[in-house]
mmCIF file of all heavy atoms in Angstrom:
data_model
loop_
_atom_site.group_PDB
_atom_site.id
_atom_site.type_symbol
_atom_site.label_atom_id
_atom_site.label_comp_id
_atom_site.label_asym_id
_atom_site.label_seq_id
_atom_site.Cartn_x
_atom_site.Cartn_y
_atom_site.Cartn_z
ATOM 1 N N SER O 15 -4.539 20.321 21.757
ATOM 2 C CA SER O 15 -4.481 21.742 22.107
ATOM 3 C C SER O 15 -5.904 22.278 22.240
ATOM 4 O O SER O 15 -6.857 21.511 22.350
ATOM 5 C CB SER O 15 -3.713 22.527 21.040
ATOM 6 O OG SER O 15 -4.469 22.623 19.838
ATOM 7 N N ALA O 21 -9.879 14.815 10.322
ATOM 8 C CA ALA O 21 -9.634 14.881 8.887
ATOM 9 C C ALA O 21 -9.870 13.525 8.254
ATOM 10 O O ALA O 21 -9.707 12.479 8.898
ATOM 11 C CB ALA O 21 -8.209 15.355 8.608
ATOM 12 N N GLY O 180 9.701 36.543 14.218
ATOM 13 C CA GLY O 180 8.960 36.084 13.045
ATOM 14 C C GLY O 180 8.305 34.732 13.208
ATOM 15 O O GLY O 180 7.857 34.132 12.218
#
Side-chain angles (χ1 to χ4, degrees):
S15 71

